[in-house]
Amino acid sequence: MDSKGFQDLVAQLGDLSDVQREALLTALKRRLPLSEAIDLIDTRFSVDPCCGHCGSKNVGGWSSQAGLKRYRCKDCEKTFNALTGTPLAQLHRRDVWLSYAAAVADGLSLRKAAKRCGISLDTAFRWRHRFLSTAKGVKAKVVKGIVEADETFIRKSVKGSKRLAGRAPRKRGTAAKSGLSSDDFAPVLIVRDRHGATTDQVLPDLEGPTFARVLKPVVAHDALLVSDGRAAYGQFADRAGLLHIALDASKGERTYGSYHIQNVNAYISRLKNWMRRFKGVATHYLPSYLGWRRMIERHPDLTPAAILMQALPQAAT
């Protein structure tokens, strides 16, 4: 990982204390085995422990568990350790965390990841979404300059659910309705600027107010918005006072001078090609996979250590 990528990961350590952050950085820089890294985190954390539930430093010792010192908060009266409040809390089998992180970095399916690590399929499933719980929330806070926006549609799925909710079972050999019906597909809005800053959102519908709710907080007030011909983009741009270029592909409009949406379309193409390996993603977990893809885009040479770094930031506030 290059120095900029490393610093980007460091910046995502969220609300961990300075002691926890320093311990993580030291562990990764020294390339310690995970067991030693956890011991180092625990040792450094013990110097200045703070409650993983409420953030209080009014704490006392409370024996140990699974090799980690435990503490009890005198304010909220809950117990905690150095990993409390992070996605790695209460995960067992630390000996295969790095191996599983490598499987995530390699983009393996659940069954292949479970086989590689010697864990059950259910464990592989739980770990995947624990490891990705932070990544799904790491999006560009602002897109600026020339901003491209487009939607893509991903077939709705209740894969893994014991009960189907919201639709009847599909019959083998039958096609979906013609067109992109919201009954069959989940619309995903992708917004990306020419610097690579990317944000996305699974949309409940394709109405103008829905687009405005997603776009308003992230599109800079002086940006130039380039989109397809969907009316919702023009409505948002007019109300926000943005310059807007709409390209109507049905009329053969692919570019307007040097303006186009090929950047965001290329991103969508990479996203969909990458997702094919999973043979369908449950719509409920789609934000995790979108976050996974954004993480890969930010760090093309993703390492297992980087995956663990992504899993440890942003303790609950």
Side-chain angles (χ1 to χ4, degrees):
M1 185 188 307
D2 60 24
S3 59
K4 183 180 183 302
F6 188 80
Q7 291 303 319
D8 287 343
L9 288 172
V10 174
Q12 293 173 30
L13 288 174
D15 293 326
L16 287 180
S17 70
D18 291 340
V19 173
Q20 288 174 307
R21 185 175 308 181
E22 180 187 353
L24 283 171
L25 295 178
T26 301
L28 290 174
K29 286 178 179 178
R30 290 168 54 185
R31 300 180 180 274
L32 295 178
L34 186 60
S35 59
E36 294 183 29
I38 295 296
D39 289 342
L40 179 60
I41 292 168
D42 195 31
T43 300
R44 297 286 182 87
F45 183 77
S46 67
V47 175
D48 184 27
C50 62
C51 178
H53 303 286
C54 69
S56 171
K57 292 193 175 183
N58 185 20
V59 303
W62 195 263
S63 75
S64 64
Q65 182 182 35
L68 287 172
K69 296 177 184 177
R70 290 197 67 77
Y71 306 84
R72 184 174 184 271
C73 178
K74 297 178 181 179
D75 289 333
C76 70
E77 299 184 346
K78 295 180 180 179
T79 61
F80 62 94
N81 61 31
L83 297 178
T84 298
T86 75
L88 296 182
Q90 299 182 348
L91 286 189
H92 304 291
R93 293 296 306 277
R94 292 178 197 153
D95 56 310
V96 294
W97 279 3
L98 275 177
S99 177
Y100 190 81
V104 173
D106 293 339
L108 296 187
S109 67
L110 286 174
R111 283 182 170 77
K112 290 181 179 179
K115 183 177 181 180
R116 174 190 285 187
C117 301
I119 57 179
S120 71
L121 186 60
D122 285 346
T123 298
F125 174 81
R126 289 196 304 272
W127 283 20
R128 170 173 289 179
H129 294 290
R130 281 285 197 97
F131 277 47
L132 296 176
S133 62
T134 296
K136 71 180 179 181
V138 180
K139 304 179 182 181
K141 295 182 179 180
V142 177
V143 286
K144 52 191 178 181
I146 299 175
V147 175
E148 301 178 19
D150 200 4
E151 330 80 59
T152 187
F153 296 83
I154 297 175
R155 183 179 290 279
K156 287 184 176 179
S157 170
V158 288
K159 182 178 179 181
S161 176
K162 294 182 179 179
R163 292 185 295 178
L164 294 176
R167 68 166 179 83
R170 296 192 184 99
K171 294 183 179 179
R172 291 183 181 274
T174 58
K177 300 175 184 177
S178 60
L180 295 173
S181 166
S182 59
D183 293 335
D184 293 313
F185 292 88
V188 179
L189 175 60
I190 309 288
V191 185
R192 184 175 170 89
D193 65 25
R194 296 288 175 87
H195 303 287
T198 306
T199 187
D200 51 51
Q201 184 68 46
V202 181
L203 303 178
D205 55 57
L206 296 171
E207 301 298 323
T210 301
F211 278 73
R213 188 169 59 251
V214 176
L215 293 170
K216 185 177 179 179
V218 296
V219 179
H221 68 278
D222 56 351
L224 168 62
L225 179 64
V226 188
S227 71
D228 63 15
R230 187 175 295 277
Y233 295 114
Q235 294 167 7
F236 162 72
D238 288 343
R239 291 173 184 169
L242 296 176
L243 293 174
H244 177 225
I245 295 175
L247 302 173
D248 190 343
S250 65
K251 297 180 180 179
E253 297 176 353
R254 301 292 180 182
T255 62
Y256 182 83
S258 60
Y259 303 111
H260 55 77
I261 55 173
Q262 294 170 6
N263 180 23
V264 70
N265 284 339
Y267 177 87
I268 290 172
S269 178
R270 294 194 298 273
L271 168 67
K272 288 198 160 183
N273 286 336
W274 172 78
M275 286 185 65
R276 285 195 182 97
R277 70 188 67 193
F278 303 116
K279 296 180 172 59
V281 170
T283 303
H284 176 73
Y285 293 108
L286 184 54
S288 293
Y289 288 83
L290 294 174
W292 190 354
R293 183 64 215 180
R294 291 194 308 272
M295 181 170 61
I296 291 172
E297 292 278 331
R298 290 192 304 272
H299 311 292
D301 299 323
L302 203 57
T303 65
I307 295 289
L308 288 178
M309 286 279 282
Q310 291 277 354
L312 276 163
Q314 297 182 2
T317 57

